[in-house]
Amino acid sequence: MSEKRTRPRFDVCLDVRCQASSTHYNVRIADISEGGCYVDTILEVIKGETLLLKILMPDGGWLEIDGIVAHHYPRLGFGVCFADPDDEQRRLIQSLIDWVNPKQEKQTEACWPIKQIDVSCHELM
């Protein structure tokens, strides 16, 4: 399969309510980008199918967004392209990305400086 992604994806584990046709499913998103996401599920879908995704945000709110199935791997999951998100949906997607991929300054603060790690109790083999 050729790579068609134009935006970086970020690993997440988010609960999602997925509405396909007239059926509702609870699934999980394994990664997300500004343009789409990967749904980790055994749910059977068809490439090109339109879905409504309701993504549970870290603050407890919901992001509702339409998507189109871009590709499907039976019994593993499927990729979704977000369908024409409005400004508020784009803002919420970006807030999810910022939540899972904080700015470099925040990551550096959370890391332990080498001088604070006590390795004296570990034996070298």
Side-chain angles (χ1 to χ4, degrees):
M1 179 174 84
S2 64
E3 183 63 46
K4 296 181 182 179
R5 293 182 189 154
T6 59
R7 299 175 178 131
R9 295 228 174 193
F10 301 96
D11 293 335
V12 293
C13 184
L14 297 170
D15 292 326
V16 178
R17 293 180 183 158
C18 178
Q19 181 178 341
S21 303
S22 62
T23 311
H24 299 268
Y25 301 95
N26 291 324
V27 296
R28 296 221 173 175
I29 288 180
D31 69 33
I32 193 165
S33 76
E34 293 174 10
C37 62
Y38 187 81
V39 180
D40 186 15
T41 182
I42 60 172
L43 176 65
E44 293 295 324
V45 293
I46 300 167
K47 183 178 177 179
E49 183 175 357
T50 302
L51 310 168
L52 173 63
L53 300 176
K54 295 180 182 181
I55 303 169
L56 182 59
M57 301 289 286
D59 66 2
W62 293 91
L63 163 59
E64 292 189 25
I65 191 163
D66 291 320
I68 300 169
V69 176
H71 56 83
H72 178 242
Y73 298 103
R75 302 190 54 81
L76 294 174
F78 56 91
V80 173
C81 239
F82 296 138
D84 196 26
D86 62 27
D87 289 340
E88 178 62 10
Q89 290 168 324
R90 279 194 283 278
R91 186 190 68 75
L92 290 171
I93 293 166
Q94 188 59 54
S95 73
L96 274 174
I97 291 169
D98 291 344
W99 178 70
V100 298
N101 186 38
K103 304 288 184 246
Q104 183 62 37
E105 300 81 36
K106 291 180 184 178
Q107 288 178 350
T108 304
E109 291 172 5
C111 295
W112 291 350
I114 296 294
K115 63 184 177 185
Q116 291 183 356
I117 300 173
D118 180 10
V119 294
S120 61
C121 63
H122 299 284
E123 293 181 25
L124 296 176
M125 301 185 126

